[in-house]
Amino acid sequence: MAPRSDPQKLLRQVMARFVREEVAPVARQVDESGRFPRELFVKLAQMHAFGLRYPVKNGGAGGNATLYCIMCEELAQGLLSLAAIAAKQCLMATNFLHRFADQEMRQRYFLPALRGELVGSFCLTEPEAGGDLGRVSTTAVKDGDGWVVSGMKTWITNAPVADFFTVLCQTDPEQGIRGLNFFFVPRGTPGVQVSPGFQTLGTRSTEISEVAFNDCRIPARFLLGQEGKGLGALLAILAEIRAMTAALALGLAKAAYQAGFQYAKERSAFGKTINQYQLIQSKIARLATDIWAAELMLYDTTAKIDAGQRPSKESMMVKYFATEVACRACDEATRILGAYGYSMEYPVQRYFRDARFLLYGGGTHEVLQTNIARELGF
Amino acid sequence: MAIWVIADKCTGCGLCVKACPYGAMQVQDKLAALGPRCTQCGACLEACKFEALGSDLADEPRPDLSGYRGVWVFCEVQDGALARVSLELLGQGARLAAELGQTLATVLLGEDVEGLVPELAAQGADRVYLAQDAGLAAYSTLAYTRVLSELIATHRPNILLLGATPLGRDLAPRLSRRLDLGLTADCTELAIDPVDGGLWQTRPAFGGNVMATIVTPTARPQMATVRPGVMALGPRRDGAQAEVVRHPVRLEPGDLLVRLLASQAQGQRPVDLGAARVIVAGGRGCGGPQGMELLAQLAQALGGELGGTRVAVEEGWLGQARQIGQTGVTVRPDLYIACGISGAIQHRAGCLGARYIVAINRDRRAPIFSVADYALAGDMFKIVPAMLAALKGAA
Amino acid sequence: MPGQPDSPLCVAVLVKQVPDSAEIKMDPRTGTLIREGVPAVMNPDDRLGLETALALKDSLGALVTALSMGPIQAVDVLSEALAMGADRGVLLSDRNFAGADTWATSFTLGRALERLMSQGPLDLVICGRQASDGDTAQIGPQVAEHLGWPQVTYVERLEVEGRELRAWRRLPGLVQKVLCPLPAVVTVLATPQAPRWPLVDRLLWACREAAPLEVWDAADIEAPAARTGLKGSLTRVVKTFSPKGQRVTQWLEGTAAEQSQALLAELRGHKLI
């Protein structure tokens, strides 16, 4: 057979160039604007990036979790908020539509979302329910030939710009987590109320807010999946969501590491460049080692996902580990840069702020560690 | 055909790694090793001091090239006058011809250009091959290629030099392919091999990061295009005479396939830093648009272009097209003046191809100084105005 | 037949894989270029060539074939060309092709284009102005001569109507508009629109077995060894050296006026001003 290119290498190369040519020159400006990066979002859509992990026959590119994480990792090296937005559009915002929507919804919502014409959002967290899904209090109640959704969701990424929501609701409080189901709610549905965006420390151009569903009436077909199977549907992609978060963390860690590495080679102090000092060498060596470990863990996990497994424990471990590496890398990079790490003119401060975003998305590390321990049988 | 490493003799010194133009040689475990990029060019064989490289590359038999004599310069005519690069080539051609003991000739093509002959003689030409025809009034690739190839076939020169101008770079490769001649583009240095009299053609490669010396062993004439502004003019010989050899021109319809419909001078021509001979660039140290304005004045006074670092562009002091460095353009002017630029590697990578780099910066430790030919530690807001004043005084 | 209204314009684009100039690194001690580990990418000017061809595909339904010469790994630039929208990719790869100068390269590419023409029509060949690793700008005109077609160089905009092309040539301080009959060879240095990004779905498709990618060797294009690669080259590299090694920093001291005088004297000495 004639030789073929390695899709992983090629995708990484294209995305790295996209970051270099399209993202890096505007990253600071986008971050400071605090606005959804519509232009970059549309550019990614025009590259057909949002269908990356869906099958070709359904309008996607026929990729897999590994390719998806490679793209997320590369984008995160340029601007974490853009990477997070793209990651969401590829997976959580469209996945339930992809699996459960009827033909009409597919044409009206799913394919336009892949084309970047519509922004999707995913509503899990509530004011009183974060990692503990059993406490979800947003309800969906059967009403004639449809459903009525009521409740409050918070920390909803992209909500201020979203055109539709995939909302986790309780249909039968008696059933606990077995009563959880996902519903599709278009933005224009009467009763949907989106709060102004939150002021956040990092990922400023990721607009995040609360969404209130005040007795929102939706047709029966907007129940995504079979009733009572909502939790199972979430578990089917949970490992991939966590791997994706780890990929964002890995990308950010690499960006911070690179910034520190470059600066240390150029900056002189006391007559030699600071990379010749052992304390700086120690930081660089530890970060490089951590980043390698995170990378191995991540792509081992995605390989398992692509082999059809559900590596729940591994995905939690890598999400936890890669994020800690990212936080450490951003911290160390700002130290290596000295006062320049404190200056708003250099991107390192943005990495430092953005890293905190990763600590919460995909589960806090306190919850994750508990769950890892539980999976270890402890 | 192959090249191999003789392990007993190899010391792992790495001379071959440095010599390899293709990056195919590496030292692994203290032994030289050939990689897949090897083209068997033989550069490593000559570099090795320990006879540690073996090869079965045979020396090709060389044809008898003694019938090819004379150094030729192709004359570029702009608005009825000789282009400066042609005069520079005449200066260089005269030196090469003298070294070889051969004559210097020029090729002059156009509709009514005979009036330029005395000037060519004054610039050192012993002979002028003159071809005049209405079809040669404006440059056309195919018509010029026809006439030049006829002249070369008839008179068999040893060396043919053209300016590395848009015209020269359009014409020379076409000609080289028609006559099966070797061609080296964009040379910055020409010399005669003292052993066999061949032409050493030196040019920048890999964006100016490497210089390569190239020869044309088997074909004549040896063709090269030469970068404008590099070669020095020769001494003027006012009143000198040149022999004029007229060449009859018979163009065919096939030589005039490309028709010029319109030609428009670009008032607001797009910035092309890649082609600029002089670039004055500013960075963070400019402090704002005023600093950049000062540098624009210097650029104008030197007939150059204004450029800058990523920071300067991001701050809005300069347009994106003027950004030099990894994320901007890579430039290779003759003169690069970096003002208020610390010289991050991303920036240095974009300007290292310059022939001369001048750095003006307040911080004596700024990395830009490590790549500068001339280092001026000081305040650009004092040095640049002083330069402007001196340039004004000299004008 | 080409030229008939219902037959699409057939365009070949020449693309080259080059070291990524954005990834070049300097050895901080010696100031020399580190070439090991530098990723290989599509030559930037060739991306403009592809964009020009694909714009013709958008407007006229042209069929676009990307053609490259290089080692097997150079298949990556063809995959990328397919991802941008090219219809077919052909890689010329043979040990005999290695080490070619522009003469031998243009011969090899010319033979491949002749083979393309034996399979179907070919109306237009588009190249980037020059390759970033060589900067010679010779391949376009040399391929044109091989085919015996007219050439239009330094093009920034291109239109095809019937059997003619209209091109805007960007020269220093000047734009020329020219008319040229097809078939022809064009080299481009700019495009009205920035080159399009590869599409992610086409990128993955290009990596699959069914992708329209072929590899041709010397026998396929009937290229004799004596006319290809290093053997067919008329020029030889006899020496390479680092210009940086020669850069010796000279400090110009004194007051601003003294520094500026000293600098101007030096620059005049080197005929730089």
Side-chain angles (χ1 to χ4, degrees):
Chain A
M1 189 193 112
R4 290 294 179 265
S5 301
D6 171 7
Q8 297 184 12
K9 179 183 151 200
L10 218 51
L11 181 72
R12 192 179 281 282
Q13 206 174 66
V14 167
M15 286 300 159
R17 191 163 62 84
F18 181 81
V19 163
R20 196 164 80 201
E21 294 178 10
E22 304 275 4
V23 182
V26 298
R28 178 179 173 186
Q29 190 191 329
V30 167
D31 182 60
E32 285 175 359
S33 77
R35 306 311 299 254
F36 181 77
R38 179 75 64 178
E39 232 173 275
L40 291 171
F41 180 81
V42 168
K43 275 184 181 157
L44 282 170
Q46 285 168 344
M47 291 170 75
H48 300 183
F50 298 148
L52 174 57
R53 46 177 304 295
Y54 295 123
V56 174
K57 64 174 161 50
N58 296 345
N64 55 24
T66 302
L67 289 163
Y68 169 58
C69 285
I70 284 172
M71 180 170 82
C72 294
E73 185 202 321
E74 289 300 326
L75 289 175
Q77 294 195 46
L79 182 62
L80 187 66
S81 53
L82 176 72
I85 287 164
K88 185 145 284 197
Q89 189 81 353
C90 289
L91 182 58
M92 294 91 94
T94 49
N95 192 267
F96 289 84
L97 273 179
H98 173 250
R99 279 189 285 170
F100 304 117
D102 61 26
Q103 203 53 37
E104 194 266 343
M105 292 166 77
R106 194 177 293 279
Q107 292 298 332
R108 190 154 161 209
Y109 299 106
F110 176 69
L111 294 176
L114 295 196
R115 291 196 298 265
E117 294 156 14
L118 298 178
V119 179
S121 187
F122 189 61
C123 306
L124 223 56
T125 305
E126 297 184 1
E128 299 297 329
D132 45 350
L133 296 180
R135 296 193 56 186
V136 164
S137 64
T138 299
T139 57
V141 178
K142 243 191 199 121
D143 179 45
D145 56 354
W147 295 86
V148 173
V149 174
S150 325
M152 176 68 108
K153 294 285 180 181
T154 191
W155 291 106
I156 306 306
T157 303
N158 289 351
V161 292
D163 298 293
F164 59 80
F165 303 91
T166 299
V167 188
L168 181 64
C169 299
Q170 182 59 263
T171 53
D172 185 357
E174 303 288 300
Q175 296 271 330
I177 55 171
R178 265 171 294 279
L180 294 174
N181 285 290
F182 286 92
F183 290 85
F184 179 78
V185 184
R187 173 81 170 238
T189 308
V192 173
Q193 203 179 349
V194 179
S195 78
F198 296 167
Q199 292 293 318
T200 53
L201 173 68
T203 58
R204 286 194 195 150
S205 52
T206 309
E207 296 190 40
I208 299 173
S209 71
E210 287 180 331
V211 186
F213 299 94
N214 305 313
D215 298 331
C216 299
R217 262 199 73 89
I218 52 171
R221 64 200 179 94
F222 282 9
L223 164 62
L224 297 169
Q226 216 181 329
E227 192 176 344
K229 297 278 173 75
L231 189 66
L234 177 63
L235 286 176
I237 58 166
L238 194 57
E240 195 170 348
I241 294 174
R242 288 174 174 147
M244 174 270 285
T245 314
L248 297 179
L250 178 61
L252 186 67
K254 283 184 179 177
Y257 167 82
Q258 268 306 327
F261 182 86
Q262 278 302 339
Y263 186 85
K265 281 206 303 190
E266 287 165 11
R267 169 73 185 194
S268 292
F270 308 104
K272 52 184 179 180
T273 50
I274 62 172
N275 65 352
Q276 296 176 59
Y277 292 102
Q278 288 184 339
L279 282 175
I280 299 293
Q281 289 166 354
S282 161
K283 289 184 197 296
I284 293 292
R286 286 178 56 188
L287 289 183
T289 308
D290 281 353
I291 286 170
W292 185 32
E295 189 161 356
L296 291 175
M297 288 172 74
L298 171 59
Y299 292 107
D300 182 72
T301 306
T302 62
K304 288 193 167 91
I305 295 171
D306 291 333
Q309 303 169 24
R310 279 190 195 175
S312 164
K313 177 182 67 192
E314 291 89 336
S315 70
M316 288 191 287
M317 286 173 162
V318 70
K319 191 268 159 179
Y320 156 61
F321 181 73
T323 303
E324 292 294 345
V325 169
C327 289
R328 203 149 60 229
C330 294
D331 180 29
E332 293 289 24
T334 57
R335 289 170 195 246
I336 292 170
L337 264 77
Y340 291 109
Y342 193 57
S343 159
M344 297 308 274
E345 282 190 38
Y346 286 78
V348 179
Q349 51 76 25
R350 187 178 76 235
Y351 305 154
F352 183 85
R353 289 185 287 108
D354 285 356
R356 311 304 291 182
F357 170 79
L358 298 164
L359 284 172
Y360 325 111
T364 67
H365 288 193
E366 290 68 24
V367 172
L368 281 181
Q369 288 178 66
T370 305
N371 290 349
I372 292 166
R374 188 183 299 146
E375 291 221 15
L376 291 168
F378 196 68
Chain B
M1 290 211 314
I3 294 174
W4 58 88
V5 177
I6 302 163
D8 295 349
K9 293 184 179 170
C10 180
T11 63
C13 69
L15 280 175
C16 52
V17 177
K18 285 204 187 96
C20 178
Y22 300 97
M25 196 59 107
Q26 283 183 321
V27 174
Q28 286 170 352
D29 300 328
K30 298 187 180 164
L31 276 182
L34 272 126
R37 287 202 256 170
C38 175
T39 66
Q40 307 178 345
C41 72
C44 53
L45 299 175
E46 290 177 25
C48 182
K49 291 198 174 139
F50 304 96
E51 298 176 335
L53 291 168
S55 103
D56 53 6
L57 303 180
D59 264 351
E60 295 148 46
R62 294 200 173 183
D64 177 19
L65 302 167
S66 57
Y68 294 86
R69 295 184 63 80
V71 177
W72 282 20
V73 168
F74 171 80
C75 270
E76 204 170 314
V77 179
Q78 275 170 358
D79 305 322
L82 294 170
R84 186 180 161 83
V85 66
S86 300
L87 307 184
E88 294 166 1
L89 290 185
L90 282 166
Q92 177 65 21
R95 289 185 284 274
L96 297 175
E99 203 164 327
L100 289 164
Q102 298 180 359
T103 53
L104 174 66
T106 71
V107 185
L108 184 58
L109 273 55
E111 184 178 13
D112 180 20
V113 288
E114 198 166 350
L116 296 170
V117 169
E119 176 63 13
L120 290 170
Q123 295 284 348
D126 302 310
R127 186 179 301 137
V128 178
Y129 293 99
L130 180 66
Q132 298 193 110
D133 189 273
L136 300 175
Y139 169 69
S140 122
T141 312
L142 295 171
Y144 274 51
T145 303
R146 167 180 297 278
V147 174
L148 260 172
S149 50
E150 288 170 358
L151 278 165
I152 291 167
T154 314
H155 301 285
R156 296 157 65 91
N158 179 16
I159 290 172
L160 172 61
L161 305 177
L162 301 90
T165 59
L167 189 161
R169 285 162 65 106
D170 182 271
L171 174 62
R174 185 92 198 194
L175 192 61
S176 80
R177 197 67 173 71
R178 182 161 300 179
L179 298 174
D180 293 340
L181 302 174
L183 170 63
T184 305
D186 223 12
C187 295
T188 54
E189 224 181 291
L190 295 171
I192 300 295
D193 181 338
V195 177
D196 69 357
L199 182 65
W200 280 341
Q201 307 147 46
T202 299
R203 70 181 303 264
F206 288 103
N209 291 294
V210 178
M211 302 299 288
T213 300
I214 291 164
V215 297
T216 316
T218 56
R220 292 293 180 276
Q222 306 164 84
M223 271 180 82
T225 64
V226 179
R227 191 183 274 191
V230 175
M231 303 299 176
L233 300 180
R236 255 190 98 80
R237 310 183 305 176
D238 280 316
Q241 297 289 313
E243 177 195 353
V244 175
V245 179
R246 286 169 202 279
H247 182 79
V249 179
R250 270 181 301 274
L251 297 179
E252 289 176 15
D255 297 326
L256 301 164
L257 285 175
V258 181
R259 275 175 46 209
L260 181 63
L261 297 179
S263 190
Q264 201 175 19
Q266 288 297 90
Q268 270 246 306
R269 96 205 129 77
V271 184
D272 188 2
L273 288 181
R277 307 293 12 130
V278 175
I279 293 175
V280 181
R284 191 188 304 278
C286 289
Q290 296 85 354
M292 213 42 91
E293 175 51 35
L294 187 62
L295 298 186
Q297 288 174 26
L298 182 60
Q300 202 185 0
L302 297 173
E305 286 281 0
L306 179 66
T309 61
R310 188 178 59 82
V311 172
V313 170
E314 282 181 359
E315 291 290 341
W317 306 339
L318 273 180
Q320 180 83 45
R322 294 187 186 274
Q323 184 181 326
I324 293 162
Q326 235 170 51
T327 47
V329 292
T330 301
V331 297
R332 46 189 76 93
D334 293 326
L335 175 60
Y336 189 83
I337 304 183
C339 303
I341 292 176
S342 64
I345 179 120
Q346 289 85 348
H347 181 77
R348 295 201 313 263
C351 68
L352 264 179
R355 265 176 73 215
Y356 287 91
I357 295 179
V358 174
I360 303 174
N361 199 300
R362 283 211 293 222
D363 181 358
R364 219 167 248 281
R365 288 189 191 143
I368 190 75
F369 286 130
S370 67
V371 296
D373 298 282
Y374 297 105
L376 287 75
D379 185 351
M380 62 168 263
F381 289 97
K382 290 192 180 129
I383 295 171
V384 174
M387 287 175 73
L388 282 169
L391 286 167
K392 217 173 189 176
Chain C
M1 282 298 291
Q4 291 184 358
D6 52 347
S7 74
L9 185 76
C10 293
V11 184
V13 183
L14 307 185
V15 291
K16 184 181 185 186
Q17 193 178 48
V18 297
D20 188 348
S21 61
E23 298 280 329
I24 54 162
K25 295 190 171 68
M26 296 293 155
D27 185 317
R29 278 178 298 277
T30 62
T32 53
L33 185 72
I34 303 172
R35 277 180 249 153
E36 285 81 44
V38 176
V41 297
M42 186 188 294
N43 177 44
D45 279 5
D46 298 346
R47 201 176 286 290
L48 300 171
L50 268 170
E51 175 57 37
T52 306
L54 294 170
L56 292 174
K57 181 176 176 175
D58 294 341
S59 59
L60 303 171
L63 271 172
V64 178
T65 301
L67 185 64
S68 185
M69 183 181 104
I72 286 296
Q73 305 86 281
V75 74
D76 284 355
V77 294
L78 295 175
S79 305
E80 208 177 328
L82 291 182
M84 285 171 73
D87 301 290
R88 179 185 181 189
V90 177
L91 176 65
L92 307 173
S93 201
D94 193 304
R95 200 163 163 72
N96 283 347
F97 298 163
D101 72 352
T102 61
W103 192 96
T105 302
S106 69
F107 178 84
T108 311
L109 291 167
R111 291 310 291 250
L113 291 166
E114 283 164 356
R115 182 171 192 219
L116 272 184
M117 283 190 277
S118 74
Q119 299 175 337
L122 183 64
D123 305 298
L124 179 61
V125 174
I126 300 180
C127 328
R129 166 183 46 176
Q130 62 192 33
S132 62
D133 59 346
D135 293 339
T136 70
Q138 285 171 196
I139 292 300
Q142 289 180 329
V143 165
E145 176 62 24
H146 182 107
L147 298 172
W149 293 1
Q151 73 194 43
V152 184
T153 49
Y154 307 109
V155 170
E156 62 174 11
R157 191 177 143 204
L158 181 69
E159 285 172 4
V160 172
E161 209 182 305
R163 296 300 298 161
E164 283 181 326
L165 69 81
R166 241 169 252 273
W168 284 255
R169 303 182 69 211
R170 188 196 290 173
L171 300 170
L174 186 76
V175 172
Q176 277 186 350
K177 188 176 170 192
V178 301
L179 190 68
C180 175
L182 295 177
V185 175
V186 163
T187 79
V188 299
L189 51 65
T191 47
Q193 302 282 320
R196 62 200 65 197
W197 284 96
L199 302 183
V200 168
D201 49 352
R202 283 186 70 99
L203 190 85
L204 302 190
W205 162 73
C207 296
R208 296 192 188 110
E209 200 177 335
L213 280 173
E214 297 152 66
V215 178
W216 293 355
D217 63 14
D220 290 323
I221 58 171
E222 296 170 40
R227 314 206 82 187
T228 57
L230 188 75
K231 250 186 133 180
S233 296
L234 296 168
T235 56
R236 285 277 186 285
V237 177
V238 288
K239 187 174 72 164
T240 61
F241 54 99
S242 166
K244 296 327 157 277
Q246 304 165 326
R247 228 189 270 280
V248 180
T249 305
Q250 189 177 336
W251 290 88
L252 305 179
E253 308 285 0
T255 66
E258 288 162 358
Q259 284 176 305
S260 102
Q261 288 297 347
L263 176 63
L264 291 172
E266 290 287 346
L267 297 184
R268 288 199 183 98
H270 290 294
K271 301 207 182 338
L272 292 166
I273 55 174

